[in-house]
Amino acid sequence: MFDVLIIGGGVSGMSCALVLGSAQNKPFVSTKKIGIFTHQKSSSLQEALFNNAYGIPPGTLGSELLKQSNLHLVTVYPHITQIPEEKVLKIEGDYPEFKVITNKNSYTTRNLIVGIGSSNTFAIEGLMHYVEPHKKALPEKQRIQLRNTDHKVAEGIYVIGTLAGWRSQLAIAAGSGAAVATDILTLWNDNIPTHAHDSIR
Ligand SMILES: Cc1cc2nc3c(=O)[nH]c(=O)nc-3n(C[C@H](O)[C@H](O)[C@H](O)COP(=O)(O)OP(=O)(O)OC[C@H]3O[C@@H](n4cnc5c(N)ncnc54)[C@H](O)[C@@H]3O)c2cc1C
């Protein structure tokens, strides 16, 4: 049983996993089981080239970022379970016990974070009733988002990245994933606001 499972190994999902991973020494996190589906085939990063993203050297390929982010997570936060090459097909159940069914396996989790992009090919059974037109994309692109309030879709279900209704910029998607990570940390800290920082001091 996971405490949280992140669906989507692109910008928002990996950013969320890194922030959750970095909080490992906090007492309210140390016992938590965290996982991420690192399926990357349909990431926007596959064809992107970055010259305008904060902290990323100009000329960086999105395809490189996909490789680097997996390596970053497994090297620095190996306690986060990476589940590669599985596509999530269906969600069953309600908080606090969801069943996540992929093309290969099934998993149980208390909380779900969904960051699989805003394409209208979205087809995760069990989440379809949350789908609505994307509010910040051109209508002719037919993008979608999951209905949410400040990233929360329903009890135990959160959405991040472009699927949360944000415009498609790397920094926005990364920030969205990080924001929900701190929401989850705050939840685990009995709703006392918190975040995860390292410091040279
Ligand atoms: C060609 C191009 C150029 C771009 N250039 C720039 C730029 O110059 N500057 C900039 O700031 N932004 C740029 N972007 C935008 C940026 O890449 C996106 O905003 C960002 O990747 C969105 O992050 P996300 O997490 O919402 O989605 P993604 O990064 O697309 O991640 C979604 C992830 O979900 C996975 N997934 C999908 N379905 C499933 C499923 N059923 N189960 C499990 N996993 C699943 C995918 O494989 C993928 O890994 C560009 C995008 C494109 C396409």
Side-chain angles (χ1 to χ4, degrees):
M1 176 89 165
F2 283 91
D3 290 284
V4 66
L5 260 178
I6 302 163
I7 306 175
V11 176
S12 61
M14 292 307 270
S15 170
C16 186
L18 286 167
V19 175
L20 286 174
S22 71
Q24 61 187 322
N25 294 329
K26 294 184 188 284
F28 52 87
V29 181
S30 56
T31 58
K32 297 293 192 286
K33 192 170 176 202
I34 302 164
I36 177 167
F37 291 98
T38 52
H39 177 285
Q40 294 185 323
K41 275 189 201 136
S42 54
S43 173
S44 294
L45 288 181
Q46 294 286 5
E47 296 185 351
L49 166 67
F50 292 96
N51 293 305
N52 64 358
Y54 180 81
I56 294 178
T60 300
L61 296 175
S63 54
E64 272 306 308
L65 286 180
L66 283 169
K67 288 185 206 137
Q68 284 168 18
S69 58
N70 276 7
L71 194 62
H72 181 173
L73 187 64
V74 79
T75 306
V76 185
Y77 306 121
H79 65 288
I80 304 272
T81 305
Q82 292 199 35
I83 307 167
E85 291 166 23
E86 290 190 34
K87 197 166 180 183
V88 174
L89 303 177
K90 188 174 181 182
I91 309 293
E92 288 178 353
D94 291 300
Y95 182 81
E97 187 168 340
F98 296 99
K99 187 173 179 187
V100 179
I101 298 157
T102 74
N103 52 338
K104 296 180 183 165
N105 288 301
S106 70
Y107 304 84
T108 52
T109 183
R110 290 173 70 81
N111 295 285
L112 274 175
I113 301 174
V114 192
I116 70 167
S118 57
S119 163
N120 62 13
T121 55
F122 184 97
I124 299 182
E125 206 181 313
L127 296 180
M128 297 310 290
H129 55 294
Y130 298 118
V131 171
E132 62 181 16
H134 199 287
K135 293 183 183 164
K136 291 188 172 180
L138 286 170
E140 55 269 34
K141 292 208 165 176
Q142 297 190 330
R143 300 281 181 201
I144 57 114
Q145 62 182 50
L146 297 190
R147 190 169 60 247
N148 71 91
T149 304
D150 190 18
H151 296 110
K152 188 167 178 178
V153 175
E155 205 54 41
I157 307 180
Y158 300 80
V159 62
I160 53 178
T162 53
L163 185 62
W166 295 112
R167 292 199 180 91
S168 179
Q169 293 289 161
L170 182 145
I172 299 176
S176 164
V180 168
T182 59
D183 289 343
I184 294 287
L185 295 178
T186 296
L187 185 74
W188 289 344
N189 193 30
D190 289 333
N191 287 315
I192 301 164
T194 188
H195 50 228
H197 286 181
D198 292 320
S199 159
I200 57 166
R201 271 185 277 144

